[in-house]
Each structure stands twice: as structure tokens, then as C-alpha cells.
Amino acid sequence: MSKKRRREVANIDVQLIEIYEDLASFNEDIRLKAAIALVSKLSPDHDPSSQDIEKALNRLIKGLSSGRKAARVGFSIALTELLAQLLGPDRKTAPEGSITIEKLLEVLKSQTHPVGSIPGQEERDHHFGRLFGAEAIIKSSILFQSLAPSVHWSRILDLILELAKKKPWLREECGWIIYGGLQFLSTKFTNQAYAQVVIDKLVSHGLVKTPEGVAIWLSIQTLFPTVRLPMEMWRHEDPLNAKETTTLAKVLKEASTPRDVQNGEDVHGLQKGMWNSKLHFAWDVVLAELYGRQALTGGNSARSQRMNFADFWNEVVDNSLFSNAASNERKCWGFLLLCKVLETAPEHIIAVVYSKNLKRSLINQLAGTERYIHQAATKSLKVMHARVERNPDLAAVIATSLITTGAMNSFAQLMKTKTIEKLLIQASVPALQQIILLFQQLIERPGTQEQKTSETQRRSLADQLLSLLRIRKINPSSAAKTFEPEPWVEQILYLFTKCGYFAASYDSSDPKHSPEPPISPASQDMFRSRLSSCLTHLLSTKSVTQPDYPYLVVRRIQQQEQTNGEDHSLLDADKTVRKALLRAWKTVERIHKKETGLGDHEEAQLRASQLLYSLTILQVYNGDADAVSILDELRIFSDKVNESEPAIKSDDTAASEVIVEVLLSLISKPSTLFQKLAQQVFKTFAAEINDKGLESMLAALESSQQEIFDQNEEEEEEEEDGNSQDESISDVEELDEDSDSSGNGDDDDEAASDVSEDSATSNEEASDDEDKQDVDNDNELAAFNAKLADALGTYRADADMDDGEEETTDDDMTDEQMMAIEPHLTKVFQERKKVTSKKQDRKDAKETVIKFKSRVLELLEIYIKQQHGNSLALNIILPLLRLIRSNIPKHISEKASTIIREYSRLCKGNALPTPAAIDPLWHLLRSIHAEAMQQASHAHSSACSQASLLLVKILVGLDREHGHGAVAMYSETRGKALFHKGCDVKPAFFADWNNWCTSAGRNLQR
């Protein structure tokens, strides 16, 4: 039996196999190490054989057509370096029989040529392999060793350009390789003959008027200026000639041109078969040339006839990529191009990029996330904001371009996207001032003659400025006691002042100066309202060096009136009001001049007085009749300014009462501005408020609706009196404090029981308010239906007809009968309207009183925070407890409870009040315990407990022996809660007392 022949083991180079494997790795570092290892292995130092070199070259070229991992990239790098080592200018003597350039090109062509019927993916891999191989040969520099271009350079160009024509979807990559080769030639070699071959081949293959052809042409023009360019391709041999804008637009968007059709060129073969989501590299080349053209002065005649960037953008981009007929794909290119320009363009160029069609497309695509290219439009805005963030001065240029280009309604749509708002925030102060000046021009001339449209646009602009003031951070003055305003804030205030308080006179000699159309009274009211909102926000800004913006506004009004220029004041006042304004303004000026050189407290008082005066004067210009009387009351400040000591002391009863009365008058108005004003002024004068002023505030807090507001119609008052329990805020009766101080326990029980019963009755009545109101509404509706039926001569659908009564319908009535009942119907509906109006008035009056009480509580909260150590602050406890127990909205009760809780928290240690007399403290504590006995909410009980413990802390702080009296009083209250039915003390009241005794017992024990 014969033995089987053993197979001979071939000599396998395992290291070489691993190198080829690593060349296909996704890791770039591994690929580079493998390429270095291969080149080192085949270097002349290792004396490789020609067979090994040819085998390696064949393996690398074949690997270019592989789609495995990153083989195409890794093999291309290795092939480039190996060719440079074997055939490059710096090569050493090659082994005999080594491969030549001609043989290399043949191997590349044969290895990357698809043979037979193969799948489409394999065919594409072969085309990519040819492309990467050509790139490797060009980068290796083996074709540029002689002074004159060799035939190999022409062959490699033919190879690339034929592939570009055969496969249009690869044309951009083919053009990029040739463009990169020209850049390489310009840096390594100076021979321009190679560039001449490129342009000749480009013409012969008919690829001049393609994006790749434009990029290569412009590159040769710049890098090799002596190359002879064909004259019949472009005017003056320049694609950027001013007369070639239309052709260039069609070339860059890859559309056929009329000249191409006339010349019979195969334009369909030049167009790509698929759309690329990336921007073509030719745009970068064109933009770079245009950027240089903008900075170029003089030059040769050909370059001087080039299009400027504005012409290029309008024709090639705006009227091409963003035209009405442009597809979404081309508009996407347009947005990508916009991003590129915003990132790279010089500042002077950005002013023209937001053209008409572009802005229309931008607004349309930003309108909703469902739009096809919404993301591209959003990205362009992000790029724009990023550029402005790097250079805030650009905000004025971009905002001007966005606002002034196109119709005014596009501005309103842009504001909905917050684009303009974010630009205003990012802008530098000089840029912001330019934008505000632009807003002023648009307010004066909105670009429409229709009054309603102009009012809407002016309101939109004013709202944008108000939003800017609220959102943008106002930098405080750096120097101490310097109240310099921000220039852009002052600019906004002056603009609103001019438009709200003055009317421009028409000047026939200069009609452009006058607003067109004139600012209507409705718009003037709107500007005054926006000015008030601005001042409200500025008063809310907490800054030690906050400028007195109301004073600046009033001073502007005075200056404008004194100049008697083209604008005249809208104030129509008699001599008495004018005289009061003049006197008040002089007082303000004296206060302003006297602010410097004083102590902090005196200066704060003068600034508060100036603020109060300024806003009251402004209110006179707003047409408030009560403001004139307030100016008369404020004359006390004028007297104080004339004295040597400007500060108002707490013993100055008249001044304290005037301050409180004026502030109460201000907070009774619905304006938020006067609420902020009252709070700021009250903070300054809180220390000077005496017992009379505090009593005025508490009286206003406890007063009824009729005591605060005068009703002009007596009939309405009489009608409201009948339902005062239902429609107005019920006032709580005061407890019989005399019986508390007598020490008779039975009398105390009876008094507490009586008040508790009254309170319970009041609460029961309040709980029936809603039911009574529903019944009243039903009765009124029934009465209305009865009157309507009587006028029509019909009967109600839910009522029974009398026997013998015939049913009548509208069809039975003649025209004369219908005309006859019309006056009766009118009268019925007028009466119904009066009833509804009175109800609404009562409801509004009730809401006004509630808001007024809320603002009074805010002032009391300020007083407690600043004057909690003042014994006068104890006077507010009982009124607040009664307010909590009354029939008031929940938020008012919570605010009053918060004040008592804050008062109790602040009073500790050295901050406890030290009243001169002890008996009023005991009397107050007894009254608090009597309040705790009432039938009320848990919030009221908690407030009573906190107030009671506060009084105990004050008494024990004065003398710890007073603790025995506190224990006795709590024991007495505990007994009443146990044995008297009308006493409704909550358990938490005594739990808080026990907790306090536990914590305070350590300090009180001897």
C-alpha cells in the first residue's frame, strides 16, 4: 500500500499578514504603525527583492478596492509612502527589475477595473479603489520629478476625469483630488506647465462649467497666474466676472445653463444623480476669492471687473438657492452656506447675507418643527449667535439686516422665535445703542400708512424694548455714590417719553423728521404704559447705586418743554396745575442738588423724596387729577429742603402723617409702579413713622369698602348697603377689652362667649353667601325672562299657559308689530345691562379693596423687618389677628400670618422690644388670649400662639418674674377652654406653650 504524499508547507510571512490586517483597522494609530512597519520592511536597508516589492504593490493596490473595515484608507497611506520611498525624488537606488511608473499605472488600471457582471457594491468598490490609488500616486510626488510634465501626469488626469464623467456621483471627489494636487504643486514645485495640463484636460473633458471646474479654475488663476486660460469659457477668463453671475449661479447649484444647451454639451451627463447633504468644496474656494476681492483695492482690469460679494450673494444665493421655485434640498445648501459665511466672513460682509428671499425662507422654516429643513434653519441661528457672542459689536449689523430687510410683518414673526431678543442681550453697549436708534426710526416710520397696522407694529417694537430692559442685566455703577445711568436704558426711557408725552409738529421743510403716520392717542397711551412698566422694573432692581430713573424722565420732560422745539407737550392743564408743576419741579431740583455731602440716612431720605416727587409729577402728566393734590401734600418736603437739617425726624408728627397718607393714596391705585414706589419710599422713612402714622395704616387695613373709596353714585351705595354682608369684606368686632382688664373671670367668659357666638354667626352667614347669590341670580333671570316675554307677548317655555290662551309665535307677527315692540325690547335689555354692570362694579370694588389690603400688609411687613425692635410695632398684632379671623381671601390671611411669624422670628436676644410701661403688655397678652378663644381657623390659632409667645418673651426678657404671670394667664385660658362651651382654643396653642416652657426653662431656673 502506497503512502499519501505530504503537502509541502509554503513559506508564509506571518508578520506581513499581520501588517496587512492592521492596515484595515478602524484605529488610526494602529493603521499608521502598520504603514510604518511595511515601509520599513521594504526599505533599501533591508535589501528587499523586486519580487517582494511587486507583490507588496499589487497587494496594496488590490486592497484599495476592498470595503473591509478601513482598508481603503490604510492601504492608501501605505501605498503613498512606499511609492515615495521607491520612486520619489529622494529615493535610493532601486533594485534591478523594480516597477516603473508606467507599469504602476497599468497595474492600477487593471486592478481597479470591474470585469464581467458583478454586483453594484463591488463595482463601486473598484471605482473608489481607482480614486484612492490616483490620489496616492499624486501625493507621493513621483509624477513631478521633471521640469516638463511627463505623459504619466496626463494619463493620471485622464484616469480621474474619465471616472468623474462616467460616475457623476464621484465627480466631487475627483475634483477634490485634482484641486489638492494643485495645492501640493504650488508649495513643492514652481513649474506652471503642470497646471497648464490640468486646465487643458479640464476643457477637453468638458468639465469646466461644473462646481469642480470652477474651483480648479480659480485655484489655477490664484496659484499659477501665468497659465494660459481658454478665452471662450468665461468672460475675461474669470468665472467671477460681474457678467457671469447668472451662469455661476446655475453652475454652483448644478443646473444646466442656456449656453451649454446651445453649445450642445452633454449637460445631463454632468449633473449628479443624487443629492449630497454636504456643501460642495467649490463654495469655499469661491468665498475665499470674494473675501479677497472685498479687501482688494486696484489691481488688474480683469479682477477689477469681478462681482462684489453683495452681487454674488443676491444672484447666486438669494435668487437661486432661496428662490420661490428652489427645492428644499437647494434651500438646505443655502442654509449651510449661510452658516459657513457667518463663521468665516469678515464683519463688513455679514451685513448683506440676510437678503429678502433668505429671510423669508428662514422665517418659514422656523415656524414649526415639522418643516422639512427646520433643523438647518435652527442651526444657522445658533451659528449666528455664536459669532455674535465672539464679537458682540456684530449684533447691530445683523439686527439691522434682519429688521430692515423685507416687510415689517417678518419682524414680528422673527420676534416670536426670540432671535431679535437674544441678539439684544448679546450686543455690546455701542451696538445696542445703534439697535435702539433703529427701533426709534421704525417707530417713527413703520413703513405703512394704515393706522391700525402702524399701531400694531409700534406696540411690537415697544414690547421688544421693554423685554430687553427686563431681561438684560443692568450693570451697577462701579464707583461709590455715583448714580450714572446705563446709556441704553436712558435711551429707551427717553424714546418712550418722547412718544408718550409729546406730539411732533409737522415740518414741511423737513417732512422726514415727522412720524408717518402720526402717533395716535392709543399708541401714546401705550408708550406711557410701557414707560411705567420700565420704571416699575427699574425700581425693583436692588442696587445701592441705582440711578433715579423717574427723575431723569421728569427732567427730560422739563427740558423738552423749555426748548419749545418741534415737539409740543400733550398736557392740557390750566395755570393752577402748571404753577403746581413748576413749584414741584423746583423742589425736585433743590433736593437733587442737596443730595451730596450728607450722611447715608439723610441722603437716602432725600433720594426717596426726589423719587416720590418725580413719579407724582409724572402722574400729573398722565392726567391723574389726584396727583395735583398729592403735590400740595408733599410741600412739607419743600419746607424741609429749605431748612438746614433735611432729615425728617420721628417726632415730626405732620411729616410722618403726610408720608403715610401719601403712600396709602399711591397704593390704592392699580398701578404696580406706585406699589414699588410706596415700598421703596416706606423703607427709607420706616424709622420715622410714629404712632399716628402707624394708626393710619392699621385703620386703612381695618376699614370697610365705603371708608376707603368714595362712591359717586348714591343709588349704588344704597343698593350695596342691603347686601353688605354678602358683597363686602366683613369687619370683625373688637373685643370688650375693659372686661379683660377688670380681672373678673366670669365677665371674661361672657365677653369671649358673646364674641365667639357673633363670629360663628358671621361665619355661618358668610358660608351662605354663595347660595344667596345663586338665588339672587335665579330671581333676576326669572324677572328678565318675564319682562322679555311680556314685551314679546309670548310665554316662557317652562311656564304653563292659562286656559283659553292661544300660543303665539314670531311667525304670527307682522312687520308693523315687530317694529312696535322694538322699543320695549331695547328697554328690557338696557335694564338687564344696568343690573349686570352694577354687579361687575361691586365685584371690581371688592377686588380693589382686597388688593389694597394686600399692599398695606406689604408695607407692614417692611416695617416689621426694619423696626421689630421698636415697641410701636406691637400695635399691629391685634389688628392682624382680627384680619386673619375675618372673612377674607386665603392669600390675605396667609400674608398676615407670615408677618406675625416673621415678627416672632426676628424678636430674639437683643432685638426684643423694650417698652417703657409693663401694663400695656399684659393688656395686649390678655387680648391675644381672648382672640385665641374665638371660633376661627387653625391659621388664626397658630398666629395667636406665636403672638402670645412673643409677648411672653418680651415680658420675661424685662423681668423673669413675669414668667409667673404668664403661667397664670395660660392656666386661666386652659380653664376656660375646659369649662366654657364658647371657648374654642385649639390644642396646638397649649402645645406651643409647653414646648416653649421646655426650651426656656433652663434659662429661667435659678
Side-chain angles (χ1 to χ4, degrees), residues 684-976:
T684 305
F685 290 102
E688 279 69 38
I689 302 298
N690 56 17
D691 55 346
K692 297 293 183 182
L694 196 58
E695 286 177 7
S696 299
M697 297 177 63
L698 296 176
L701 188 63
E702 294 180 327
S703 60
S704 63
Q705 177 177 344
Q706 284 77 16
E707 293 174 347
I708 299 176
F709 301 101
D710 295 330
Q711 300 294 337
N712 295 326
E713 298 182 5
E714 295 181 358
E715 295 180 359
E716 187 173 346
E717 290 182 0
E718 293 175 359
E719 190 173 332
E720 289 181 356
D721 289 340
N723 297 321
S724 59
Q725 293 294 329
D726 299 330
E727 299 297 336
S728 64
I729 300 176
S730 62
D731 299 318
V732 182
E733 297 181 3
E734 296 184 2
L735 301 178
D736 189 359
E737 298 177 350
D738 294 337
S739 62
D740 293 337
S741 61
S742 63
N744 192 331
D746 296 336
D747 295 339
D748 293 340
D749 297 339
E750 293 175 2
S753 178
D754 293 339
V755 176
S756 178
E757 292 175 0
D758 294 340
S759 176
T761 304
S762 176
N763 290 335
E764 290 175 1
E765 293 175 356
S767 65
D768 296 336
D769 283 349
E770 188 174 350
D771 297 335
K772 291 180 180 179
Q773 188 173 0
D774 294 339
V775 173
D776 292 340
N777 291 337
D778 294 339
N779 294 335
E780 289 177 5
L781 183 59
F784 170 73
N785 290 334
K787 291 180 181 180
L788 185 60
D790 182 62
L792 293 173
T794 61
Y795 68 96
R796 288 172 48 190
D798 57 348
D800 296 332
M801 289 191 302
D802 295 336
D803 296 337
E805 184 178 355
E806 295 181 358
E807 181 181 357
T808 61
T809 63
D810 294 341
D811 297 336
D812 299 332
M813 300 180 68
T814 63
D815 294 341
E816 290 76 9
Q817 290 175 331
M818 293 291 291
M819 295 296 293
I821 68 171
E822 183 178 356
H824 301 285
L825 291 175
T826 303
K827 184 177 180 180
V828 170
F829 282 103
Q830 285 178 348
E831 292 178 357
R832 174 66 175 174
K833 186 177 181 181
K834 289 180 180 179
V835 174
T836 306
S837 178
K838 289 180 180 180
K839 280 189 171 184
Q840 186 63 37
D841 291 343
R842 290 196 296 269
K843 182 179 179 182
D844 293 341
K846 180 178 179 180
E847 292 177 354
T848 303
V849 174
I850 293 174
K851 187 176 293 186
F852 174 75
K853 290 181 180 291
S854 176
R855 293 181 175 182
V856 174
L857 288 175
E858 291 173 357
L859 296 183
L860 290 176
E861 186 176 7
I862 294 173
Y863 184 81
I864 286 299
K865 289 181 178 179
Q866 293 190 1
Q867 299 297 316
H868 53 272
N870 192 338
S871 58
L872 284 178
L874 295 172
N875 295 335
I876 73 170
I877 294 179
L878 270 183
L880 290 180
L881 294 178
R882 292 169 183 152
L883 182 67
I884 297 171
R885 184 164 55 90
S886 63
N887 182 24
I888 58 173
K890 184 178 180 181
H891 71 278
I892 299 294
S893 175
E894 291 177 349
K895 187 171 290 187
S897 301
T898 301
I899 295 176
I900 294 180
R901 183 167 59 252
E902 185 71 9
Y903 190 11
S904 177
R905 185 187 66 83
L906 293 174
C907 290
K908 56 184 177 181
N910 296 329
L912 287 171
T914 55
I918 301 299
D919 291 340
L921 293 179
W922 288 111
H923 182 75
L924 178 60
L925 181 60
R926 187 173 297 277
S927 300
I928 293 173
H929 278 243
E931 271 291 327
M933 299 177 191
Q934 309 310 309
Q935 184 178 3
S937 63
H938 289 280
H940 175 264
S941 176
S942 176
C944 290
S945 176
Q946 292 171 353
S948 177
L949 293 177
L950 171 61
L951 265 294
V952 172
K953 286 193 295 183
I954 295 174
L955 288 168
V956 173
L958 295 174
D959 187 355
R960 70 176 186 173
E961 295 299 327
H962 291 157
H964 298 289
V967 172
M969 188 168 295
Y970 268 93
S971 177
E972 181 182 349
T973 303
R974 186 57 172 154
K976 293 177 182 178

Side-chain angles (χ1 to χ4, degrees), residues 285 533 929:
V285 181
S533 300
H929 278 243

Side-chain angles (χ1 to χ4, degrees), residues 149-162 164-165 178 182 193-210 213 216-217 220 227-230 233 270:
S150 62
V151 67
H152 306 307
W153 174 237
S154 297
R155 289 185 62 188
I156 200 69
L157 289 177
D158 287 333
L159 202 66
I160 296 173
L161 293 177
E162 286 173 1
K165 292 183 66 177
I178 297 176
L182 291 173
Y194 289 92
Q196 186 67 56
V197 175
V198 173
I199 202 69
D200 293 339
K201 290 294 181 180
L202 202 64
V203 173
S204 63
H205 285 276
L207 295 175
V208 173
K209 291 189 177 179
T210 60
I216 295 172
W217 190 292
I220 291 175
V227 171
R228 293 178 291 100
L229 298 172
M233 293 291 121
L270 299 181

Side-chain angles (χ1 to χ4, degrees), residues 111-158:
Q111 291 282 3
T112 59
H113 179 69
V115 180
S117 179
I118 61 175
Q121 182 60 48
E122 290 187 18
E123 183 181 359
R124 287 191 291 272
D125 289 339
H126 280 80
H127 294 321
F128 277 117
R130 177 170 295 188
L131 196 62
F132 275 82
E135 183 181 20
I137 293 174
I138 293 175
K139 287 184 177 180
S140 65
S141 304
I142 62 176
L143 300 177
F144 311 123
Q145 302 183 48
S146 60
L147 296 178
S150 62
V151 67
H152 306 307
W153 174 237
S154 297
R155 289 185 62 188
I156 200 69
L157 289 177
D158 287 333

Side-chain angles (χ1 to χ4, degrees), residues 579-627:
K579 186 177 180 180
L581 284 174
L582 181 60
R583 183 172 59 248
W585 173 245
K586 290 182 179 179
T587 302
V588 173
E589 284 292 273
R590 288 197 299 269
I591 293 174
H592 185 70
K593 293 178 181 178
K594 209 167 185 176
E595 285 181 3
T596 57
L598 299 175
D600 293 338
H601 184 63
E602 290 80 3
E603 185 175 343
Q605 282 194 355
L606 286 179
R607 284 178 56 79
S609 305
Q610 176 180 286
L611 176 63
L612 189 57
Y613 252 114
S614 300
L615 284 177
T616 306
I617 293 173
L618 194 62
Q619 194 66 6
V620 174
Y621 280 95
N622 288 334
D624 189 356
D626 297 334

